[in-house]
């Protein structure tokens, strides 16, 4: 079975992004002495939501990407799916970090994330059913 090295690269990049989203939460909590929850702080609540949204989508997406790569999906497709996912997560994080309402970053980040998930699911069905 081929080793999912491309997925490993994208997983490492997503870990760095996750840490970049988590550190401001810890700093904000420390500065404002908020232990659990958001303490009614709307900015902290948004930071927590940005991180939470990331953790809701990325683990399953990276698992599917690794399985596709391990099953022999063309390298270009693995790179494409991983790149679209990462771009989507970056855009979403930037958009939601800047505003709790509508933003182009949030819209396109969600669209690209969902597109990568849909295409990976279809690829998984194609590989799994043949």
């Amino acid at each position: 079975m081929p080793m999912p090295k491309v997925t490993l690269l994208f997983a490492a990049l997503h870990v760095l992004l996750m840490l970049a989203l988590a550190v401001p939460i810890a700093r904000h909590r420390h500065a404002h002495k908020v232990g659990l929850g958001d303490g009614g702080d709307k900015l902290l609540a948004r930071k927590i939501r940005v991180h939470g949204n990331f953790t809701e989508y990325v683990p399953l997406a990276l698992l599917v990407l690794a399985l596709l790569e391990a099953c022999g999906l063309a390298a270009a497709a693995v790179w494409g799916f991983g790149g679209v996912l990462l771009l989507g997560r970056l855009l979403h994080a930037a958009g939601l970090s800047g505003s709790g309402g509508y933003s182009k970053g949030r819209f396109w980040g969600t669209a690209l994330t969902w597109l990568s998930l849909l295409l990976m699911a279809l690829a998984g069905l194609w590989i799994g059913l043949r």
Side-chain angles (χ1 to χ4, degrees):
M1 177 185 308
M3 298 303 294
K5 289 185 177 182
V6 176
T7 301
L8 176 59
L9 172 68
F10 281 111
L13 292 170
H14 279 88
V15 167
L16 294 175
L17 177 55
M18 183 200 68
L19 290 171
L21 299 175
V23 167
I25 296 169
R27 286 185 176 160
H28 195 114
R29 285 183 186 285
H30 179 74
H32 296 87
K33 299 183 181 3
V34 177
L36 292 175
D38 59 30
D41 184 321
K42 289 186 179 195
L43 179 57
L44 179 56
R46 191 165 68 235
K47 289 178 181 182
I48 292 168
R49 195 60 228 128
V50 171
H51 183 267
N53 187 276
F54 179 93
T55 62
E56 290 164 3
Y57 284 97
V58 171
L60 182 59
L62 289 174
L63 173 62
V64 174
L65 187 65
L67 291 169
L68 290 169
E69 186 175 4
C71 286
L73 185 68
V78 176
W79 278 99
F81 294 157
V84 169
L85 177 67
L86 183 60
L87 179 60
R89 294 291 76 206
L90 286 165
L91 288 171
H92 186 274
L96 186 53
S97 293
S99 168
Y102 174 83
S103 73
K104 288 182 182 181
R106 188 174 179 192
F107 172 83
W108 286 108
T110 299
L112 290 174
T113 299
W114 288 4
L115 177 64
S116 67
L117 288 167
L118 174 62
L119 294 176
M120 286 191 290
L122 293 173
L125 289 170
W126 178 72
I127 290 171
L129 292 174
R130 59 177 195 171

